[in-house]
Amino acid sequence: MTLRLVTVFGGSGSIGRQVVQRLASQGVRVRVAVRDPLKAAFLKPLGDLGQIALLKVNVADEAAVARAVDNADGVVNLVGILAESGRRTFQALHVDAAERIARLSAAAGVRRLVHVSALGADDAAAARYARSKAAGEAAVRQHVPAATILRPSVVFGPHDGFFNLFGSFTRFSPVLPYYVKDGVRPRSGQAGADGPRFQPVYVGDVAEAVSRALTTAEHLGKTYELGGPRAYSMREVMALVADQTERRVRPVPVPMWVARMQARVMGLLPKPLLTTDQVKLLEVDNVLTGALPGLEAMGIEPTAVETVLPQYMTRFRPHHRHVVLRAPRRS
């Protein structure tokens, strides 16, 4: 399918900027629906003059969403949050906004809709985040049965909030704590001893999956789980961070009950690092189930963490690691 205009909701995030750039490189006009166009101005140079348009949109506003999808060939919904704040709740953004975007896209005659959800979306999950993601998927399917739904695991890349977060910790802490099931087991490798497992997926692979879902008919109406080539325990993630930052930090296991206590305090902050709902997410693995097709089914070879991490984790290395010593010049 040839695309002329694609509207991307939430296009200024770490995934969004990659999606916008990928579409622009294919000659597509991109309309980026964001809360603050000024803060999203960095997207404009990713395309040719006039190719990328920024539109101020509140996803709770029916008229604003309708304007955003008007005359679009495709729509991509990347709107999502990890923690609630004020009116920005899971229900409002993961469910109500998803329903609104899908319903108004269908009314506008949009031919392709790609909805980016999350791995672990489940209406029976303990975490409200995961339940809201599942409810959002159901709302999308109700209005656009042919929508393509993508469920990525933790997404990594230059602007991620995962490896970059832990990398920043190495600047001031000699340890990298990771949470394990209640009680610290002395030997690594035992069930739960190394923390929950993740299957990080490269942001470029996610952007390519979005692009192919928009242009290839075989992906219509399907749900895909997106993950990298292998899974890592939280201990292995911390070891990767320590290795790539070249700092003398040590991964240290912390019982999950400590996480629950910390979350009660951190959850009160304006931008909490940890909430009680996120702790519930950490109590289960976030890896591909194998029950749904993945990147390979879309013709995409998953990118390994080790091939990309060195490209952006160097920013957390001690300054002297970047100094090139030269022999003094002789007169």
Side-chain angles (χ1 to χ4, degrees), residues 3 5-11 15-16 19-20 23 30-33 69 72-79 101 105 110 112-116 148 150 206-207 210-211 213-214:
L3 300 170
L5 173 64
V6 173
T7 298
V8 181
F9 288 89
I15 300 176
V19 170
V20 170
L23 293 173
V30 186
R31 181 187 290 156
V32 188
V69 302
D73 299 309
V75 168
V76 180
N77 180 17
L78 296 166
V79 175
I101 290 169
S105 293
V110 172
R112 297 287 168 83
L113 173 64
V114 178
H115 178 76
V116 178
T148 303
L150 305 178
V206 176
V210 170
S211 174
L214 286 169

Side-chain angles (χ1 to χ4, degrees), residues 19 53-54 63-64 80 89 92 132-133 139 144 158 177 190 198 208 217 222 230 248 283 308:
V19 170
L54 306 179
T89 65
S132 69
K133 284 292 188 178
V144 187
Q190 295 183 6
F198 298 88
E208 180 61 23
K222 295 182 180 179
R230 60 159 291 195
R248 294 181 180 179
E283 291 178 332
V308 178

Side-chain angles (χ1 to χ4, degrees), residues 47-231:
D48 294 331
L49 184 64
Q51 186 180 12
I52 298 173
L54 306 179
L55 188 64
K56 184 174 183 179
V57 174
N58 180 345
V59 290
D61 186 334
E62 293 263 333
V65 173
R67 286 194 299 270
V69 302
D70 186 41
N71 291 322
D73 299 309
V75 168
V76 180
N77 180 17
L78 296 166
V79 175
I81 54 174
L82 288 174
E84 297 177 307
S85 177
R87 296 181 180 180
R88 293 175 59 77
T89 65
F90 295 145
Q91 177 66 35
L93 296 180
H94 294 169
V95 185
D96 297 342
E99 185 277 337
R100 188 173 296 109
I101 290 169
R103 171 168 47 81
L104 294 177
S105 293
V110 172
R111 291 183 288 171
R112 297 287 168 83
L113 173 64
V114 178
H115 178 76
V116 178
S117 181
L119 191 63
D122 185 349
D123 54 13
R128 290 185 298 109
Y129 171 87
R131 295 200 303 271
S132 69
K133 284 292 188 178
E137 291 182 8
V140 169
R141 282 273 185 254
Q142 179 182 356
H143 296 288
V144 187
T148 303
I149 294 176
L150 305 178
R151 293 178 174 178
S153 181
V154 172
V155 180
F156 72 92
H159 304 96
D160 70 48
F162 189 67
F163 286 107
N164 279 313
L165 175 64
F166 300 130
S168 67
F169 290 167
T170 66
R171 288 173 167 167
F172 57 84
S173 175
V175 298
L176 287 173
Y178 63 93
Y179 300 115
V180 300
K181 291 293 179 70
D182 293 333
V184 180
R185 295 174 173 80
R187 286 186 296 177
S188 174
Q190 295 183 6
D194 294 334
R197 295 187 304 143
F198 298 88
Q199 200 159 343
V201 58
Y202 177 47
V203 66
D205 293 341
V206 176
E208 180 61 23
V210 170
S211 174
R212 297 192 182 194
L214 286 169
T215 57
T216 309
E218 66 184 84
H219 304 310
L220 291 173
K222 295 182 180 179
T223 299
Y224 294 85
E225 291 184 337
L226 309 185
R230 60 159 291 195

Side-chain angles (χ1 to χ4, degrees), residues 236-265:
E236 291 174 315
V237 167
M238 295 305 185
L240 274 173
V241 170
D243 178 65
Q244 291 300 326
T245 58
E246 297 184 1
R247 291 182 181 269
R248 294 181 180 179
V249 293
R250 186 165 60 93
V252 174
V254 177
M256 198 65 74
W257 62 264
V258 174
R260 299 188 190 101
M261 293 179 62
Q262 292 175 332
R264 293 191 185 99
V265 177

Side-chain angles (χ1 to χ4, degrees), residues 12-33:
S12 60
S14 59
I15 300 176
R17 67 181 69 197
Q18 291 284 337
V19 170
V20 170
Q21 185 172 25
R22 186 65 54 94
L23 293 173
S25 69
Q26 296 169 350
V28 180
R29 287 174 51 225
V30 186
R31 181 187 290 156
V32 188

